[in-house]
Amino acid sequence: MRYSPDRKPVVTLAAGPVDSYPEVLNALSRTVLYDYDPAFQGFYERVVDKAQKALRLSNKPVIMHGEPVLGLEAAAASLITPQDTVLNLASGVYGKGFGYWAKRYSPNLLEIEVPYNEAIDPQSVEDMLKKHPEITIISVCHHDTPSATINPIDAIGALSARHGAYMIVDAVSSFAGMDTHPEECHADIYVTGPGKCLGAPPALTMLGVSDRAWAKMKGNAAAPRASMLSIVDWENAWSRERPFPFTPSVADVNGLDAALDLYLGEGPENVWARHALTARAMRAGVQAMGLSVWAASEAIASPTCTAVRTPEGIDEAQMRKLARERYGVVFSSGRGETLGKLTRVGHMGTTAHPIYALTALPALGGAYAALGRKVDIGAGVEAALAVIDA
Amino acid sequence: MRYSPDRKPVVTLAAGPVDSYPEVLNALSRTVLYDYDPAFQGFYERVVDKAQKALRLSNKPVIMHGEPVLGLEAAAASLITPQDTVLNLASGVYGKGFGYWAKRYSPNLLEIEVPYNEAIDPQSVEDMLKKHPEITIISVCHHDTPSATINPIDAIGALSARHGAYMIVDAVSSFAGMDTHPEECHADIYVTGPGKCLGAPPALTMLGVSDRAWAKMKGNAAAPRASMLSIVDWENAWSRERPFPFTPSVADVNGLDAALDLYLGEGPENVWARHALTARAMRAGVQAMGLSVWAASEAIASPTCTAVRTPEGIDEAQMRKLARERYGVVFSSGRGETLGKLTRVGHMGTTAHPIYALTALPALGGAYAALGRKVDIGAGVEAALAVIDA
Amino acid sequence: MRYSPDRKPVVTLAAGPVDSYPEVLNALSRTVLYDYDPAFQGFYERVVDKAQKALRLSNKPVIMHGEPVLGLEAAAASLITPQDTVLNLASGVYGKGFGYWAKRYSPNLLEIEVPYNEAIDPQSVEDMLKKHPEITIISVCHHDTPSATINPIDAIGALSARHGAYMIVDAVSSFAGMDTHPEECHADIYVTGPGKCLGAPPALTMLGVSDRAWAKMKGNAAAPRASMLSIVDWENAWSRERPFPFTPSVADVNGLDAALDLYLGEGPENVWARHALTARAMRAGVQAMGLSVWAASEAIASPTCTAVRTPEGIDEAQMRKLARERYGVVFSSGRGETLGKLTRVGHMGTTAHPIYALTALPALGGAYAALGRKVDIGAGVEAALAVIDA
Amino acid sequence: MRYSPDRKPVVTLAAGPVDSYPEVLNALSRTVLYDYDPAFQGFYERVVDKAQKALRLSNKPVIMHGEPVLGLEAAAASLITPQDTVLNLASGVYGKGFGYWAKRYSPNLLEIEVPYNEAIDPQSVEDMLKKHPEITIISVCHHDTPSATINPIDAIGALSARHGAYMIVDAVSSFAGMDTHPEECHADIYVTGPGKCLGAPPALTMLGVSDRAWAKMKGNAAAPRASMLSIVDWENAWSRERPFPFTPSVADVNGLDAALDLYLGEGPENVWARHALTARAMRAGVQAMGLSVWAASEAIASPTCTAVRTPEGIDEAQMRKLARERYGVVFSSGRGETLGKLTRVGHMGTTAHPIYALTALPALGGAYAALGRKVDIGAGVEAALAVIDA
């Protein structure tokens, strides 16, 4: 029995987009209201309020109507001017990538780059800030998904705040899967979205924007306006009294509403706990199976995704193809520099349940075994189970 | 009995977004597949094929992952260079608005502007092209929704083609509601979306791009790349063999798929016919009621939306408020220059059925009457019925 | 333009099943839980609690897992024994029909029958009870849908209670559309369902059962047990601690849950008000149009359905066919004795909004006119509007 | 981390109802059409046609509007008369249970009963038929779900046909999960439903009825008519030209339609194959883990459900409670006589994928281990994987 690539897989354990919660899928089917209708405008304000609560913000977050790359690009375009000096922190493909956007808006780019299985050391940031008092903006990716590693943004943010820099944080695949919020890490623009740990489709961005970032962007004449890339146009769009700059993605907002209800209703701490436990079980299983986790240390391994280092001699794409074909299970590859070097098993939203580690391990192990790699699948499952049962 | 602004209305006859077809709403609830999964990539290719068929294109259309203002802004950003001279045709708020985007990318902007209840005369375009052989790009809005009027884009396109200019067409609220397709009007970039006559939510753009527009954009070093605004990044994204530049809006693509199935399954000619008949019945009813249609002539009145001129002394916003409060019926206001001067009744997708003209007329008439305007509602309904029964 | 009988109509104004509220349709898509799962059992108990609240009962109602004919048949089979004398009140096809079921379980059947456009006079019931002290059970249909007339069940129930009889009430198409509840009318078995005024699909029954009816049924050895027709098997099924006699219709229970939430959330009084106003507007319109309402008097005309008397010489089926073909509007015929003599326009659940009277009138009028009947449609619409605006 | 009994579990591997396919859940949200509307009547006819194709029948099957106990009870009530002698074959709780219904309609009941982990031996049927030529009806449960064992109905049916008896088959939880069809087994009434291997909600029955069964039922004056229990009332209800005896469960029919599309679209043989492989993997895993399968032999173990014998000293209910609490995985208990003696793991519809055996095994094993039972979970998973990979 083989699963066809043309048919839906059975279980998707990818690094996102992940399948949405059933409640979110149902919410996507709600009536598509006219965006100028007062019922929609009131609803939109309530969704922003829920997002504010989830993000633990003291001001209103912004919903942008495209997937989070829109938010990241818009942040760069709106906040960074040629007068700024940007310190970009690169511990992976996504962090590195932000540097290219930063460079588009300012020629003054500094970078700290570490191997893509490590995390940024706050000490190195502190040193850099001392050496370069001209730094005005720090950019960092919290969970560099192609590496499944976590950067210490709270510590970095404290340094940034002390220095007086603005900080842009990409928290797309960490927010709602672990304890991270914009104000805790002193982020000035904090970018996340519904398509990862919130378990909704990937078509919106949520932005936490500090008051000083609002001021800087509004003072930046080059910041996008009358544009899809504009953040400033949306400043007051949350209010039921204000029109939208353009048409919001009504169905996706319906989905986000349900996702936020689920998140707040289950209790953020409970949601984080099941993400963390799933990842811990997964890592224990991977190691007991005789494989290794990509992250250099347990401390920086992501609770929302596990990257398994590709063993010598294994064709990673072939392995994933086999896992899908034989078991109907989908994993993610690496991206860019990590492509081929690792396989990612997502633990996000609907799949952030420990039982999915127990599902993932034999599928992963079976696929490796089929390629001739010796793995102890039984030991892997038992180790994962021991973590869950602990 | 009064309908609360905080609750959903009963019938939305707005100018879009309109409520989606039930089949589309259901499709939004489909499993959110991982965008790199082969099943999704194959599905995406099939959706693009359906869009190609609906657009009657000889090459692949592009799906962009934001509402059509994204497509319009991207078209301006990608096609227009400072070396271009753009002739912008403005017969309404949206047509006029495109000029601002054009100006962002080229200082050389010419414009033909007519009163906002009239349409562009092809003769004026021909004259302008003769006088300005340097014109390289023509931009035009097919259905200027805030006026509910239609421009003769097929005739204009023929002139453009003869002149050798590129033509950018905004067909957002006309495509799929009447007989219009990119190649028929010689459009080089033809922008439309699912949120109007296709009866799906408003979160995507569909772009028809001619081969020469592809060449021009790819040759334009300033055209957005690695950007939400990029068209060129998506050139080959339709192919199941190619990765996506960023994550597509999976749920919205699911909805678009169903919308295209409905459109092709019902038969485009049948869909157009019910849009046209609804609008004709509406206009007959409006006039028989003692009101007047905004469009200067029947010939240019849109089949997908009817704009009713606000009678002297009537507060248009108050009228719509009353229609919603008393009857649960939502209409659209004008926009910008037409705000307050007219009320728009949408006939798009699910609401493009003649019975909705019979629903709209008493709601509209009742609201005017409540404000003291004498209207002959009975005559209006009978006139509309006569059109339908003809 | 003609609507095909093979395609969905545009607006269904039938006497039920009516289309469900969008929120109910979405709820039908919820996860189908295992009926023995504690989460389902707890959920089921909460749904019964909501039904209890909606029915304003002091004890737990029963949900039966088939459309309300199941409840009615089960009531007859469970409550009526050969020792009983049943007084069946027949003011229409449904009331009359219950007599056949009653007869199946007891040979002693008395009946009061009135013309099918009239209602039962409580005085006649009082007289009958005096004449026949042996009467132990009274059965009555509240809203005899094939006539769209209402019987005074509160008054009849008071007589029944004083007499000491049990009363079985068919409130299938009245409950949730007007002020009627089991205990107010002293019903011992009160049968209703989600498919009419609650705006959910028609696959369940809700039963209000008085304590004495429970006692009588449990004492009746011939009452169905281990049977689809059993009521007594379900006595304690509401409790999360008790197993179900057989598998409940999980998806339909999900839908009922949402329907009850909507009903309680909107406020029963508000829901009744919009049913009543829609019907009043409809009747005014029908009469102003030159047609007549089937019900002998305004006082007994149903607020949840309007029956329009078929004018002389009109083929009623042909008229409905034309209304569907030309306008996409579906009405109901009569049933049995009323078939051909009237047309029913439902005002139930989603369609119980006055605007639908304004939609129904031209569709109805247009179809009559097409058959040569002179109708003043304009006057009809204006009269309906006057009622709504009053 | 503990899963609350008040919240939905993560994975339901019960013996049914099982969660529906996503496509079925979406279909439940389709517009609820009026049952007398020609579009619904045509749709209903097409659904019956699909059911006919799936059942491989030469005549039209009947859809009854209640879960399959309705069909079973109705079959007994309609086909069995006091003149009949019924041979009931009891290899489990459900088979045994049918005898009680048979007895209700005829005093002449013979029975072959075997231990509830065994299957009926066709030889014993042959012997009984020889000894009791007066037998006119044979009743048998194909998959006695509370035992997860399969009876050889094709062989029994051949004997029945040769004898000239009518055969009633309960194929509720086998049909669509393995190669079984009414005519292959000479069933005269073959009862199944959408809630098990078809992956739809449990609110309908599908009946295959042979021509001679139709004749016998129609000739039976005591067969239910004008009743929820009637089969004969529904004989022609499949036809778009005929009215329904009462209101069909519109939403459930919508779901059935989608379920049949999926089944026929995937290919019945492919569907059976994944059911079978999942069960084989599960059994191999159970045994390798050091537990035993309830079924006396591999040959009679069901491909749609696996019953695991409760080890000595284990509280079965407690074990399932732990599996749900720790892993969010739901299994089924036994029923009646098998309650406490076994645990059932369903492989039906959406869960009939081998990966779910790999999910079930550690959850089952972990729960046993928590109760002190020594199990080799690693060995179990590896054995299951070996079956899948074979």
Side-chain angles (χ1 to χ4, degrees), chain C residues 128-192:
Chain C
M128 190 66 120
L129 289 171
K130 257 183 216 150
K131 213 164 95 190
H132 292 282
E134 75 276 19
I135 290 170
T136 50
I137 294 179
I138 296 176
S139 51
V140 60
C141 181
H142 187 204
H143 172 207
D144 212 306
T145 330
S147 299
T149 50
I150 295 290
N151 279 313
I153 54 167
D154 287 5
I156 295 168
L159 296 170
S160 173
R162 211 173 57 195
H163 183 80
Y166 294 85
M167 188 163 76
I168 298 173
V169 173
D170 169 352
V172 175
S173 58
S174 58
F175 173 73
M178 60 186 293
D179 184 0
T180 171
H181 303 92
E183 295 180 359
E184 280 171 18
C185 67
H186 302 275
D188 291 284
I189 301 188
Y190 181 95
V191 181
T192 191

Side-chain angles (χ1 to χ4, degrees), chain C residues 163-242:
Chain C
H163 183 80
Y166 294 85
M167 188 163 76
I168 298 173
V169 173
D170 169 352
V172 175
S173 58
S174 58
F175 173 73
M178 60 186 293
D179 184 0
T180 171
H181 303 92
E183 295 180 359
E184 280 171 18
C185 67
H186 302 275
D188 291 284
I189 301 188
Y190 181 95
V191 181
T192 191
K196 306 276 184 179
C197 304
L198 276 176
L204 299 173
T205 301
M206 291 192 295
L207 282 186
V209 180
S210 71
D211 292 343
R212 55 200 284 271
W214 277 119
K216 185 174 192 318
M217 292 190 292
K218 288 192 282 183
N220 175 13
R225 284 175 179 82
S227 169
M228 191 74 187
L229 287 181
S230 180
I231 298 173
V232 297
D233 287 357
W234 286 85
E235 184 182 6
N236 299 307
W238 61 267
S239 164
R240 68 178 67 203
E241 307 296 335
R242 300 297 187 90

Side-chain angles (χ1 to χ4, degrees), chain A residues 29 34 73 227-228 252 324, chain B residues 29 37 73 227-228 252 332:
Chain A
S29 296
Y34 177 48
E73 184 183 3
S227 169
M228 192 75 187
D252 296 296
R324 193 190 192 287
Chain B
S29 295
D37 189 81
E73 184 183 3
S227 169
M228 192 75 185
D252 296 297
S332 288

Side-chain angles (χ1 to χ4, degrees), chain B residues 106-367:
Chain B
S106 169
N108 313 307
L109 178 68
L110 299 169
E111 206 156 58
I112 299 175
E113 189 167 357
V114 296
Y116 285 4
N117 64 336
E118 295 183 7
I120 300 293
D121 181 351
Q123 185 60 51
S124 70
V125 177
E126 191 165 9
D127 296 348
M128 191 66 119
L129 289 171
K130 257 183 219 151
K131 214 164 95 189
H132 293 281
E134 74 276 19
I135 290 170
T136 50
I137 295 179
I138 296 177
S139 51
V140 60
C141 182
H142 187 202
H143 173 207
D144 211 304
T145 330
S147 299
T149 49
I150 296 290
N151 280 313
I153 54 167
D154 287 5
I156 296 168
L159 297 170
S160 173
R162 212 173 56 196
H163 183 81
Y166 293 85
M167 187 163 77
I168 299 173
V169 173
D170 169 352
V172 174
S173 58
S174 58
F175 174 73
M178 60 186 294
D179 185 0
T180 170
H181 302 93
E183 295 181 359
E184 280 171 18
C185 66
H186 301 275
D188 290 284
I189 301 187
Y190 182 96
V191 181
T192 190
K196 306 279 183 174
C197 303
L198 276 175
L204 298 174
T205 303
M206 291 192 294
L207 282 186
V209 180
S210 70
D211 292 343
R212 54 200 285 271
W214 277 119
K216 185 174 193 316
M217 291 191 292
K218 288 191 283 183
N220 176 13
R225 284 176 178 83
S227 169
M228 192 75 185
L229 287 181
S230 180
I231 298 174
V232 297
D233 287 356
W234 286 85
E235 184 182 7
N236 299 306
W238 61 268
S239 165
R240 69 178 67 202
E241 307 297 333
R242 301 296 187 90
F244 299 107
F246 56 80
T247 307
S249 296
V250 180
D252 296 297
V253 176
N254 286 338
L256 175 60
D257 178 59
L260 290 167
D261 278 347
L262 287 175
Y263 178 67
L264 297 169
E266 183 174 349
E269 283 75 7
N270 298 326
V271 177
W272 309 334
R274 61 177 168 82
H275 281 77
L277 182 58
T278 308
R280 279 198 293 124
M282 188 68 203
R283 293 194 300 268
V286 163
Q287 284 156 344
M289 210 189 270
L291 299 165
S292 57
V293 169
W294 172 260
S297 75
E298 183 81 9
I300 66 167
S302 169
T304 73
C305 189
T306 297
V308 181
R309 184 181 290 271
T310 307
E312 284 297 310
I314 292 290
D315 177 338
E316 197 270 338
Q318 187 59 21
M319 187 279 288
R320 283 182 295 102
K321 190 163 174 287
L322 281 170
R324 194 190 190 286
E325 198 170 279
R326 295 193 168 198
Y327 314 115
V329 177
V330 170
F331 301 118
S332 288
S333 66
R335 287 273 180 106
E337 285 215 15
T338 67
L339 186 67
K341 297 182 186 158
L342 55 83
T343 300
R344 290 180 294 159
V345 184
H347 324 298
M348 294 175 180
T350 47
T351 57
H353 287 286
I355 190 70
Y356 287 114
L358 301 176
T359 301
L361 288 164
L364 194 74

Side-chain angles (χ1 to χ4, degrees), chain A residues 80-365:
Chain A
I80 303 175
T81 71
Q83 286 70 50
D84 285 305
T85 296
V86 178
L87 170 60
N88 186 53
L89 306 177
S91 66
V93 175
Y94 285 177
K96 183 71 181 176
F98 190 83
Y100 299 107
W101 276 330
K103 193 101 197 184
R104 190 187 286 164
Y105 300 100
S106 169
N108 314 308
L109 178 69
L110 299 168
E111 205 156 59
I112 297 175
E113 188 167 358
V114 296
Y116 285 6
N117 64 335
E118 295 183 6
I120 299 294
D121 180 352
Q123 185 59 52
S124 69
V125 177
E126 190 164 11
D127 295 348
M128 190 67 120
L129 289 170
K130 257 181 220 154
K131 215 165 96 188
H132 294 280
E134 75 275 20
I135 290 169
T136 50
I137 295 179
I138 296 177
S139 51
V140 60
C141 180
H142 186 205
H143 172 208
D144 211 305
T145 331
S147 299
T149 50
I150 296 289
N151 278 313
I153 53 167
D154 287 5
I156 295 167
L159 296 170
S160 172
R162 212 174 56 195
H163 183 81
Y166 294 85
M167 187 163 77
I168 299 172
V169 174
D170 169 351
V172 174
S173 58
S174 59
F175 173 73
M178 61 185 292
D179 185 0
T180 172
H181 303 91
E183 295 180 359
E184 280 170 19
C185 67
H186 302 276
D188 290 284
I189 301 188
Y190 182 94
V191 182
T192 190
K196 306 279 184 177
C197 303
L198 276 176
L204 299 173
T205 302
M206 291 192 295
L207 283 186
V209 181
S210 71
D211 292 343
R212 54 199 285 270
W214 278 119
K216 185 174 192 320
M217 292 190 293
K218 288 192 282 184
N220 176 13
R225 284 177 179 81
S227 169
M228 192 75 187
L229 287 181
S230 180
I231 297 174
V232 297
D233 287 356
W234 286 85
E235 185 182 6
N236 298 307
W238 61 268
S239 165
R240 68 178 66 204
E241 307 296 335
R242 299 297 186 92
F244 299 107
F246 55 81
T247 308
S249 295
V250 180
D252 296 296
V253 176
N254 287 338
L256 174 61
D257 178 60
L260 291 167
D261 279 346
L262 287 175
Y263 178 68
L264 296 169
E266 183 174 349
E269 283 75 7
N270 297 327
V271 177
W272 309 335
R274 61 177 168 83
H275 281 78
L277 183 57
T278 307
R280 279 197 294 122
M282 187 69 201
R283 292 194 301 268
V286 163
Q287 284 156 345
M289 210 189 271
L291 299 165
S292 57
V293 169
W294 172 261
S297 75
E298 184 79 10
I300 65 167
S302 168
T304 73
C305 188
T306 298
V308 182
R309 182 180 292 270
T310 307
E312 284 296 310
I314 292 290
D315 176 339
E316 197 269 338
Q318 186 60 20
M319 187 280 287
R320 282 182 295 101
K321 189 164 173 285
L322 281 169
R324 193 190 192 287
E325 197 171 279
R326 294 192 169 198
Y327 314 115
V329 177
V330 170
F331 301 118
S332 289
S333 66
R335 289 271 178 107
E337 286 216 15
T338 67
L339 185 66
K341 297 182 185 159
L342 55 80
T343 301
R344 290 180 294 159
V345 183
H347 323 298
M348 294 173 180
T350 48
T351 58
H353 288 284
I355 189 69
Y356 288 113
L358 300 177
T359 301
L361 288 163
L364 194 73

Side-chain angles (χ1 to χ4, degrees), chain D residues 311-347:
Chain D
E312 283 298 308
I314 292 291
D315 177 340
E316 197 269 338
Q318 187 60 21
M319 187 279 289
R320 283 183 294 102
K321 188 163 174 288
L322 281 169
R324 193 190 192 288
E325 197 170 279
R326 294 191 169 200
Y327 314 115
V329 177
V330 169
F331 302 119
S332 288
S333 67
R335 287 271 179 108
E337 286 216 15
T338 67
L339 186 67
K341 296 181 186 160
L342 55 81
T343 300
R344 291 179 294 159
V345 184
H347 323 298

